[in-house]
Amino acid sequence: MSDILYMVLPCYNEEEVLPETARQLKEKYQTLIANGKIDKKSRIVFVNDGSKDRTWSIIEQLHNEDKMFSGVNLSRNRGHQNALLAGLMTVKAHADMVISMDADLQDDIGVIDAMVDEYYNGHDVVYGARSKREKDTFFKRFTAESFYKLTNALGGEVVFNHADCRLMSKRSLDGLEKYKEVNLFLRGIVPMIGYPSTVVTYERNERFAGESKYPLKKMLSFAMEGITSLSVKPIRFVTVGGVFVSLVSLAMMIYTLVRYFTGATVEGWSSILISVWFIGGIQMIALGVIGEYIGKIYMETKERPRFIVESFLNDKE
Ligand code: UDP
Ligand code: MG
């Protein structure tokens, strides 16, 4: 008897990629079922994250044509992390193992076999990590890899070059359910759950259709933070102001030094001006950083739901 595999794929405006993604995954599932690796009751679940295009109707159609496909419809757009969590929590009861992946299949689907094998080898969590980043620009590779290194250096446990392509067993998902935070960063939480885990590597491809839903990723996530936390905005401005004032202090430093060496100053003028600006900038940055954390606490204390499922199309038999 083989185990039941559910795949969860968050979709936001993915009408262009869905038919092809569905075709490739169905083929993969048919092979896995034929080889006795996974049970016939295994499902491919698309989570519609409040798309504005035909994504949900395509999912409904896929489900009607083939029971291998299931769909979770969220009440509105909640962002990738929340959509993924919604999918994982919705299918948890029906699956023995769940693999999460992006709907654009940028992650090589060949990794599914490796993940399932590692699951049967007794691993509850199998992280998919990118082997090399040849297809990335130098800038992207540098910033991404620095992010993983910096996060680890600051005490956050993240798997190097692993995003959200991973396999989780039922009991590790039960563990994940106990983490209630609304500031969701799944790849940081999963390692905290524990249980035996391992890493498999794959090469990440380009999108075969559609556009990235994260253009200028960094800026968007910055903007999204600002919008989702609404009234935390002023604190964010303090941080930005602090950075600005610190930059001004640098300019002031140069200016006063020039004046000092040209002898056009009163005794003590340079040191006072430099320290006023410099300390002011540092203080504002410090306030901003503290504010960031208070903003997070503010959001957590509300205990708002992280997602609301409107409907779940699933054929258990
Ligand atoms: N996504 C989502 N909700 C959003 C934005 C994105 O569910 O608000 C999904 C998207 O459909 C895709 C995955 O998250 O399946 C990753 O997005 P994308 O491929 O655009 O990001 P990239 O690969 O460029 O980082
Ligand atoms: Mg992508």
Side-chain angles (χ1 to χ4, degrees), residues 167 187 283-284 294:
L167 178 145
R187 70 189 82 162
Q283 280 181 334
M284 282 178 86
I294 295 178

Side-chain angles (χ1 to χ4, degrees), residues 144-159 185 187-188:
E145 295 193 341
S146 309
F147 162 77
Y148 291 103
K149 286 180 187 146
L150 183 68
T151 313
N152 275 314
L154 292 174
E157 206 182 308
V158 287
V159 177
F185 189 61
R187 70 189 82 162

Side-chain angles (χ1 to χ4, degrees), residues 4-5 13 19-20 26 65 81 94 101 103 105 120 123-124 142 159 163-164 183 203 212 214 235 263 269 271 314 316:
I4 301 176
L5 166 69
N13 294 346
E20 175 61 16
K26 182 174 169 173
E65 283 167 6
Q81 295 285 293
H94 312 291
M101 208 178 250
L105 294 191
Y120 286 118
H123 293 107
D124 285 88
F142 176 76
V159 177
D164 280 306
N183 297 289
E203 181 56 22
S212 170
Y214 288 95
I235 303 171
W269 180 79
S271 50
N314 191 35
K316 279 165 236 149

